[in-house]
Amino acid sequence: MMERGLDHLVYATPDLDASVEELSERFGTEPVPGGTHPGWGTRNALIGLGAGIYLEIIGPDPSQPDPEGARPFLIDDLTDARLVTWAYRHPDPESMRDTVDLALRDATGDQRVQLGPIRSMSRNRPDGGTLRWRLSDPMALPVGGIVPFVIDWARTPPPSTALAHECQLLELVVSHPDADTLQPVLDA
């Protein structure tokens, strides 16, 4: 597995069960239950997309109480499921966040456009184990999710290590009307 690079795609949905069924039919593979995110009011399912890469399907968890604030990745605002952003794996998310935030300020001229603070998170796996990671703010979604958030699995093996590779990501293409301005941000 690469230390840096594309980690996963985030497909957010207002109804996880319906999206799992739809994607299962579309891709011809059954998404694997990922688990719950305590305090966030979400749960997920996963599809391996190749070595070190996966698709996270994330939606509300009806077994949890509603969180105090909004759920991540625009889940509370969605009427239809969609790809909302992607994650970039990096062993030092603070320095990566600072590099990207500086590039965003230079590109947009707006100091408010940033990845946000690094948070520690966890997820309860169906087998009873706990997965732990750090990531930049999943609520930020700079430039509408075109700019990825940063994630570090530290000592926890990432979910991709336990997933079958029944699907393969061939290409990830993002577009924006001002692509030339944003290219230095993505290059960072």
Side-chain angles (χ1 to χ4, degrees):
M1 181 187 69
M2 299 179 309
E3 181 179 69
R4 301 167 195 226
L6 174 61
D7 188 76
H8 68 279
L9 307 176
V10 178
Y11 188 82
T13 177
D15 183 335
L16 183 64
D17 293 333
S19 291
V20 163
E21 184 176 323
E22 175 199 342
L23 293 175
S24 177
E25 290 175 20
R26 183 184 300 176
F27 296 145
T29 185
E30 188 70 30
V32 174
T36 63
H37 304 98
W40 286 87
T42 58
R43 63 188 175 111
N44 65 10
L46 314 172
I47 297 174
L49 298 177
I53 303 170
Y54 66 98
L55 175 68
E56 175 184 27
I57 310 155
I58 184 169
D61 181 358
S63 71
Q64 290 187 56
D66 286 339
E68 290 183 26
R71 288 176 179 89
F73 306 122
L74 306 173
I75 289 170
D76 294 328
D77 299 329
L78 294 174
T79 55
D80 296 308
R82 70 178 182 87
L83 192 64
V84 293
T85 193
W86 53 295
Y88 182 82
R89 183 182 321 110
H90 195 279
D92 184 357
E94 287 85 3
S95 71
M96 188 73 243
R97 179 211 47 216
D98 293 347
T99 298
V100 170
D101 284 354
L102 181 59
L104 277 166
R105 281 193 296 275
D106 289 347
T108 66
D110 187 347
Q111 291 190 347
R112 296 169 298 168
V113 179
Q114 55 189 344
L115 293 180
I118 302 299
R119 300 173 182 236
S120 293
M121 290 188 67
S122 65
R123 171 170 62 79
N124 297 325
R125 295 187 320 226
D127 66 6
T130 302
L131 201 59
R132 299 182 193 287
W133 65 93
R134 297 181 316 136
L135 77 162
S136 58
D137 187 359
M139 306 299 267
L141 296 177
V143 194
I146 289 173
V147 175
F149 62 94
V150 180
I151 193 165
D152 171 34
W153 294 102
R155 292 177 296 277
T156 301
S160 58
T161 60
L163 295 172
H165 301 149
E166 296 178 4
C167 295
Q168 184 177 8
L169 177 67
L170 300 177
E171 183 176 40
L172 174 62
V173 177
V174 295
S175 62
H176 189 273
D178 198 6
D180 290 340
T181 301
L182 291 174
Q183 189 62 52
V185 177
L186 296 175
D187 289 344

